[in-house]
Protein backbone atom coordinates (compact mmCIF):
# COMPACT_ATOMS: atom_id res chain seq x y z
CA UNK A 1 0.00 0.00 0.00
CA UNK A 2 1.01 3.63 -0.47
CA UNK A 3 0.51 6.67 1.71
CA UNK A 4 1.97 8.19 4.89
CA UNK A 5 3.83 6.09 7.41
CA UNK A 6 1.56 4.85 10.16
CA UNK A 7 2.44 5.58 13.78
CA UNK A 8 3.89 2.29 14.98
CA UNK A 9 5.10 3.54 18.35
CA UNK A 10 8.81 3.94 19.10
CA UNK A 11 9.96 3.77 15.45
CA UNK A 12 8.58 3.18 11.91
CA UNK A 13 10.75 0.21 10.89
CA UNK A 14 9.81 -3.35 9.97
CA UNK A 15 9.60 -6.11 11.08
CA UNK A 16 7.18 -4.87 13.71
CA UNK A 17 8.69 -4.93 17.16
CA UNK A 18 12.34 -4.95 16.06
CA UNK A 19 14.47 -3.38 18.78
CA UNK A 20 15.91 0.04 17.91
CA UNK A 21 16.19 1.65 21.36
CA UNK A 22 18.12 4.80 20.40
CA UNK A 23 15.85 5.86 17.52
CA UNK A 24 15.32 9.59 17.04
CA UNK A 25 12.91 10.74 14.32
CA UNK A 26 14.21 12.67 11.29
CA UNK A 27 13.63 16.41 11.11
CA UNK A 28 13.76 16.50 7.27
CA UNK A 29 11.15 14.81 5.11
CA UNK A 30 11.85 12.30 2.35
CA UNK A 31 11.51 14.80 -0.51
CA UNK A 32 14.09 17.16 0.98
CA UNK A 33 16.53 14.37 1.79
CA UNK A 34 16.30 12.76 -1.66
CA UNK A 35 16.66 16.17 -3.37
CA UNK A 36 19.77 17.02 -1.35
CA UNK A 37 21.32 13.63 -2.08
CA UNK A 38 20.58 13.92 -5.83
CA UNK A 39 21.95 17.47 -5.94
CA UNK A 40 25.09 16.41 -4.10
CA UNK A 41 25.68 13.61 -6.59
CA UNK A 42 25.13 15.98 -9.52
CA UNK A 43 27.47 18.68 -8.22
CA UNK A 44 30.52 16.43 -8.50
CA UNK A 45 30.05 15.96 -12.26
CA UNK A 46 31.08 19.48 -13.37
CA UNK A 47 34.54 19.52 -11.74
CA UNK A 48 35.01 15.91 -12.87
CA UNK A 49 34.20 16.88 -16.46
CA UNK A 50 36.54 19.87 -16.36
CA UNK A 51 39.38 17.82 -14.89
CA UNK A 52 38.90 15.01 -17.42
CA UNK A 53 38.77 17.21 -20.51
CA UNK A 54 41.72 19.31 -19.34
CA UNK A 55 43.94 16.30 -18.59
CA UNK A 56 42.88 14.34 -21.66
CA UNK A 57 41.41 16.63 -24.36
CA UNK A 58 40.62 13.75 -26.71
CA UNK A 59 38.61 11.73 -24.19
CA UNK A 60 35.36 10.40 -25.65
CA UNK A 61 31.92 11.17 -24.25
CA UNK A 62 31.47 7.49 -23.39
CA UNK A 63 34.66 7.49 -21.36
CA UNK A 64 33.58 10.67 -19.58
CA UNK A 65 30.35 8.95 -18.55
CA UNK A 66 32.37 6.04 -17.15
CA UNK A 67 34.59 8.51 -15.26
CA UNK A 68 31.41 10.08 -13.84
CA UNK A 69 30.30 6.65 -12.65
CA UNK A 70 33.56 5.86 -10.90
CA UNK A 71 33.86 9.26 -9.24
CA UNK A 72 30.27 8.94 -8.05
CA UNK A 73 31.04 5.44 -6.73
CA UNK A 74 34.10 6.77 -4.96
CA UNK A 75 32.14 9.45 -3.12
CA UNK A 76 29.20 7.20 -2.25
CA UNK A 77 31.33 4.22 -1.20
CA UNK A 78 34.00 6.07 0.75
CA UNK A 79 32.08 8.95 2.34
CA UNK A 80 28.42 7.88 2.52
CA UNK A 81 28.85 4.15 3.12
CA UNK A 82 31.97 4.84 5.15
CA UNK A 83 29.82 7.04 7.39
CA UNK A 84 27.51 4.11 8.01
CA UNK A 85 30.39 1.74 8.71
CA UNK A 86 31.90 4.13 11.23
CA UNK A 87 28.59 4.96 12.95
CA UNK A 88 26.69 1.69 12.60
CA UNK A 89 26.47 1.05 16.37
CA UNK A 90 24.25 4.09 16.85
CA UNK A 91 22.84 5.02 13.44
CA UNK A 92 19.29 5.34 14.75
CA UNK A 93 20.11 8.41 16.85
CA UNK A 94 22.01 10.38 14.18
CA UNK A 95 20.53 13.73 13.21
CA UNK A 96 23.05 15.06 10.68
CA UNK A 97 22.43 14.87 6.92
CA UNK A 98 24.04 11.47 6.33
CA UNK A 99 22.39 10.04 9.43
CA UNK A 100 18.95 11.18 8.32
CA UNK A 101 19.58 9.85 4.79
CA UNK A 102 20.43 6.44 6.21
CA UNK A 103 17.35 6.46 8.44
CA UNK A 104 15.21 7.32 5.43
CA UNK A 105 16.74 4.53 3.31
CA UNK A 106 16.37 2.10 6.21
CA UNK A 107 12.60 2.29 5.84
CA UNK A 108 13.24 -0.14 2.98
CA UNK A 109 15.79 -2.21 4.91
CA UNK A 110 15.85 -1.99 8.69
CA UNK A 111 19.06 -4.03 8.89
CA UNK A 112 20.90 -0.73 8.73
CA UNK A 113 19.37 0.23 12.06
CA UNK A 114 20.04 -3.07 13.88
CA UNK A 115 23.78 -3.68 13.37
CA UNK A 116 23.08 -6.61 11.04
CA UNK A 117 26.47 -8.42 10.66
CA UNK A 118 26.23 -8.94 6.90
CA UNK A 119 25.24 -5.35 6.14
CA UNK A 120 27.93 -3.91 8.42
CA UNK A 121 30.68 -6.11 6.96
CA UNK A 122 29.56 -5.55 3.36
CA UNK A 123 29.43 -1.77 3.76
CA UNK A 124 32.80 -1.71 5.52
CA UNK A 125 34.49 -3.66 2.73
CA UNK A 126 32.82 -1.41 0.18
CA UNK A 127 33.97 1.77 1.92
CA UNK A 128 37.54 0.65 2.64
CA UNK A 129 38.33 -1.04 -0.67
CA UNK A 130 35.88 -0.13 -3.43
CA UNK A 131 35.73 3.55 -2.48
CA UNK A 132 39.43 4.44 -2.92
CA UNK A 133 39.80 2.05 -5.87
CA UNK A 134 36.90 3.76 -7.64
CA UNK A 135 38.84 7.03 -7.53
CA UNK A 136 41.91 5.17 -8.83
CA UNK A 137 39.93 3.82 -11.78
CA UNK A 138 38.59 7.29 -12.64
CA UNK A 139 42.16 8.60 -12.57
CA UNK A 140 43.41 5.75 -14.73
CA UNK A 141 40.76 6.47 -17.37
CA UNK A 142 41.54 10.18 -17.45
CA UNK A 143 45.27 9.47 -17.73
CA UNK A 144 44.71 6.51 -20.10
CA UNK A 145 46.71 4.10 -17.95
CA UNK A 146 47.00 0.44 -19.04
CA UNK A 147 46.03 -0.93 -15.60
CA UNK A 148 42.58 0.65 -15.84
CA UNK A 149 40.82 -2.53 -17.00
CA UNK A 150 42.39 -4.78 -14.38
CA UNK A 151 41.10 -2.53 -11.59
CA UNK A 152 37.77 -2.04 -13.30
CA UNK A 153 37.26 -5.80 -13.46
CA UNK A 154 38.15 -6.30 -9.79
CA UNK A 155 35.93 -3.54 -8.43
CA UNK A 156 33.00 -4.20 -10.77
CA UNK A 157 32.94 -7.88 -9.84
CA UNK A 158 33.15 -6.95 -6.16
CA UNK A 159 30.30 -4.45 -6.47
CA UNK A 160 28.03 -6.85 -8.33
CA UNK A 161 28.80 -9.79 -6.05
CA UNK A 162 28.14 -7.77 -2.91
CA UNK A 163 24.90 -6.38 -4.32
CA UNK A 164 23.63 -9.80 -5.34
CA UNK A 165 24.35 -11.16 -1.86
CA UNK A 166 22.59 -8.13 -0.40
CA UNK A 167 19.44 -8.91 -2.38
CA UNK A 168 19.53 -12.67 -1.97
CA UNK A 169 20.07 -12.73 1.80
CA UNK A 170 17.17 -10.33 2.28
CA UNK A 171 14.89 -12.38 0.02
CA UNK A 172 15.95 -15.62 1.71
CA UNK A 173 15.02 -14.28 5.13
CA UNK A 174 11.67 -13.10 3.83
CA UNK A 175 10.77 -16.27 1.91
CA UNK A 176 12.20 -18.88 4.28
CA UNK A 177 12.09 -17.22 7.70
CA UNK A 178 9.15 -14.89 7.12
CA UNK A 179 11.13 -11.79 8.15
CA UNK A 180 10.49 -8.66 6.04
CA UNK A 181 12.83 -5.70 6.55
CA UNK A 182 10.98 -3.24 4.30
CA UNK A 183 7.85 -1.29 5.13
CA UNK A 184 4.75 -2.42 3.18
CA UNK A 185 4.49 0.77 1.11
CA UNK A 186 5.56 -0.06 -2.46
CA UNK A 187 7.65 3.09 -2.78
CA UNK A 188 10.19 1.99 -0.21
CA UNK A 189 10.66 -1.46 -1.64
CA UNK A 190 10.74 -0.65 -5.36
CA UNK A 191 12.33 2.80 -5.35
CA UNK A 192 14.79 2.46 -2.48
CA UNK A 193 15.59 -1.22 -2.12
CA UNK A 194 15.29 -2.43 -5.73
CA UNK A 195 16.03 0.58 -7.96
CA UNK A 196 18.74 2.30 -5.93
CA UNK A 197 20.75 -0.92 -5.67
CA UNK A 198 20.09 -2.19 -9.20
CA UNK A 199 22.54 0.36 -10.61
CA UNK A 200 25.37 -1.57 -8.90
CA UNK A 201 24.43 -4.69 -10.84
CA UNK A 202 23.55 -3.32 -14.27
CA UNK A 203 26.43 -0.85 -14.70
CA UNK A 204 29.20 -3.08 -13.27
CA UNK A 205 28.00 -5.89 -15.55
CA UNK A 206 28.44 -3.64 -18.58
CA UNK A 207 31.88 -2.53 -17.39
CA UNK A 208 32.93 -6.15 -16.81
CA UNK A 209 32.02 -6.95 -20.43
CA UNK A 210 33.96 -3.88 -21.61
CA UNK A 211 37.07 -4.82 -19.65
CA UNK A 212 36.97 -8.50 -20.62
CA UNK A 213 36.84 -7.49 -24.28
CA UNK A 214 39.69 -5.00 -23.82
CA UNK A 215 41.86 -7.60 -22.09
CA UNK A 216 41.01 -10.14 -24.80
CA UNK A 217 42.03 -7.71 -27.54
CA UNK A 218 45.29 -6.98 -25.75
CA UNK A 219 46.15 -10.69 -25.56
CA UNK A 220 45.22 -11.20 -29.20
CA UNK A 221 47.49 -8.34 -30.19
CA UNK A 222 50.33 -9.71 -28.06
CA UNK A 223 49.88 -13.18 -29.57
CA UNK A 224 49.93 -11.74 -33.09
CA UNK A 225 53.11 -9.76 -32.35
CA UNK A 226 54.83 -12.82 -30.88
CA UNK A 227 53.77 -14.90 -33.87
CA UNK A 228 55.18 -12.34 -36.30
CA UNK A 229 58.43 -12.15 -34.35
CA UNK A 230 58.87 -15.95 -34.47
CA UNK A 231 58.32 -16.00 -38.24
CA UNK A 232 61.08 -13.45 -38.80
CA UNK A 233 63.62 -15.38 -36.74
Amino acid sequence: MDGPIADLGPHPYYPLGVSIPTYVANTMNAGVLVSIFAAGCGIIFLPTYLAATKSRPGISFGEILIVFWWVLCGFIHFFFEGYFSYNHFDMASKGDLFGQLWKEYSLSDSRYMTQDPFVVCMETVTAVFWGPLSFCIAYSIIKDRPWRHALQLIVSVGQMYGDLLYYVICWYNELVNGVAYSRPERYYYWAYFILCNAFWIAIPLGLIVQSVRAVGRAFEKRTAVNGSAKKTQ
Side-chain angles (χ1 to χ4, degrees):
M1 67 180 186
D2 294 317
I5 298 176
D7 183 6
L8 299 176
H11 64 74
Y13 300 103
Y14 270 56
L16 295 176
V18 65
S19 177
I20 309 177
T22 62
Y23 172 73
V24 175
N26 279 350
T27 58
M28 291 183 278
N29 63 41
V32 171
L33 288 168
V34 171
S35 297
I36 293 174
F37 184 78
C41 291
I43 287 171
I44 68 175
F45 291 148
L46 179 58
T48 300
Y49 176 80
L50 295 175
T53 53
K54 181 178 180 180
S55 298
R56 186 180 162 193
I59 189 172
S60 69
F61 180 68
E63 291 285 80
I64 287 177
L65 290 180
I66 296 174
V67 171
F68 283 173
W69 166 253
W70 286 118
V71 171
L72 180 63
C73 284
F75 276 99
I76 291 177
H77 292 337
F78 188 73
F79 294 104
F80 187 56
E81 292 172 280
Y83 173 95
F84 169 79
S85 177
Y86 183 78
N87 294 287
H88 71 273
F89 284 112
D90 194 25
M91 278 299 306
S93 70
K94 298 301 179 183
D96 55 23
L97 176 60
F98 277 7
Q100 294 199 44
L101 279 166
W102 275 116
K103 284 191 284 185
E104 174 65 21
Y105 175 78
S106 296
L107 293 169
S108 74
D109 187 352
S110 66
R111 292 178 295 175
Y112 285 90
M113 294 291 107
T114 60
Q115 299 86 51
D116 178 83
F118 169 74
V119 168
V120 172
C121 293
M122 179 199 67
E123 295 292 4
T124 301
V125 169
T126 298
V128 172
F129 294 102
W130 304 155
L133 286 176
S134 293
F135 288 122
C136 289
I137 296 168
Y139 174 84
S140 71
I141 296 172
I142 293 173
K143 294 297 184 180
D144 199 20
R145 296 292 190 258
W147 39 268
R148 168 263 183 98
H149 286 290
L151 283 184
Q152 184 166 280
L153 270 173
I154 292 169
V155 178
S156 295
V157 169
Q159 288 176 325
M160 192 168 67
Y161 179 69
D163 212 13
L164 286 170
L165 282 178
Y166 175 72
Y167 278 139
V168 171
I169 291 174
C170 185
W171 291 333
Y172 180 91
N173 276 329
E174 184 169 359
L175 294 173
V176 177
N177 299 322
V179 179
Y181 300 106
S182 179
R183 288 190 55 84
E185 294 88 350
R186 291 192 295 269
Y187 175 82
Y188 297 113
Y189 183 79
W190 290 106
Y192 287 5
F193 182 75
I194 296 296
L195 180 61
C196 288
N197 291 289
F199 291 109
W200 275 271
I201 292 178
I203 296 176
L205 181 59
L207 294 176
I208 288 169
V209 172
Q210 180 194 53
S211 291
V212 167
R213 288 176 175 173
V215 171
R217 288 193 298 268
F219 275 102
E220 287 176 359
K221 184 176 180 180
R222 180 62 180 270
T223 301
V225 169
N226 289 341
S228 298
K230 288 180 181 179
K231 290 180 181 178
T232 58
Q233 290 177 355

